[in-house]
Amino acid sequence: MERPTAGTRALEIVVRAGVAHHVHAYEAPERHGRQREQRPHYGIDAALALGVAPERVLKTLAVAVEGRLALAVVAVYRDLDPKRLAEALAARRAVLADPATAERATGSVVGGISPLGSRRPLTVVIDESALEHVTVFVSAGRRGLQLELAPSDLVRLSSATTARITRDQWPG
């Protein structure tokens, strides 16, 4: 277990729970010059910077589900399937939330949203593929800081449910 290098709500939760973890800091790429239509890939950037397989690095997406916000946690190289997420939440429809709404609700900037320690309590659904790994990486609450922990600890600490919430991938 490591002491946090920078205080975030996510790190405070993990330390308070006494969960085995590692904190990984890296230089997050600048995004100021990016065109509006180009979507940043913060999770892929983290996987590359840390030399970690992308299936072990998870991104946290804020989603709007019938008037409420929730967090969907999926591997960075996978696409969220809104229909499967809605089914997992017993809802009709789920869509990605507006970034500003996500930032207000979680207290973190896009690219640094963690499934742990949101400003207000949010339902969390983690893709079941995360359970295939001994440890996974999630944002520790800010860009450039990843938290490595067992997926079972992530599920427990975030009070998450697990379900298949990604699109099927074509081999190759």
Side-chain angles (χ1 to χ4, degrees):
M1 205 164 20
E2 294 179 11
R3 302 300 298 163
T5 57
T8 67
R9 288 186 299 272
L11 291 174
E12 290 170 8
I13 288 168
V14 171
V15 169
R16 199 173 328 121
V19 167
H21 68 284
H22 296 282
V23 178
H24 301 272
Y26 64 96
E27 189 66 36
E30 277 297 316
R31 298 293 180 189
H32 299 297
R34 190 174 283 277
Q35 294 292 326
R36 194 173 185 90
E37 59 275 357
Q38 289 180 307
R39 216 173 93 207
H41 297 283
Y42 296 109
I44 295 291
D45 292 341
L48 291 171
L50 298 173
V52 177
E55 57 268 15
R56 291 183 54 214
V57 180
L58 308 178
K59 59 187 172 186
T60 304
L61 304 170
V63 292
V65 183
E66 296 180 354
R68 67 186 198 275
L69 281 183
L71 298 176
V73 183
V74 301
V76 297
Y77 75 100
R78 304 287 310 258
D79 289 327
L80 175 68
D81 185 326
K83 186 179 243 181
R84 286 182 175 162
L85 177 62
E87 289 172 9
L89 293 171
R92 290 176 156 201
R93 186 168 181 243
V95 296
L96 287 178
D98 171 70
T101 301
E103 290 176 349
R104 276 192 307 274
T106 63
S108 296
V109 296
V110 170
I113 295 174
S114 178
L116 301 169
S118 288
R119 180 177 284 154
R120 65 179 200 208
L122 297 172
T123 300
V124 178
V125 181
I126 299 173
D127 188 65
E128 63 187 19
S129 67
L131 301 175
E132 298 169 4
H133 307 286
V134 175
T135 62
V136 292
F137 293 71
V138 295
S139 174
R142 70 172 172 82
R143 290 181 195 148
L145 197 63
Q146 290 285 307
L147 176 60
E148 180 184 5
L149 72 167
S152 58
D153 288 330
L154 177 62
V155 169
R156 182 174 54 82
L157 293 176
S158 64
S159 301
T161 58
T162 59
R164 186 173 173 210
I165 58 171
T166 56
R167 292 194 170 106
D168 292 325
Q169 300 291 307
W170 293 101

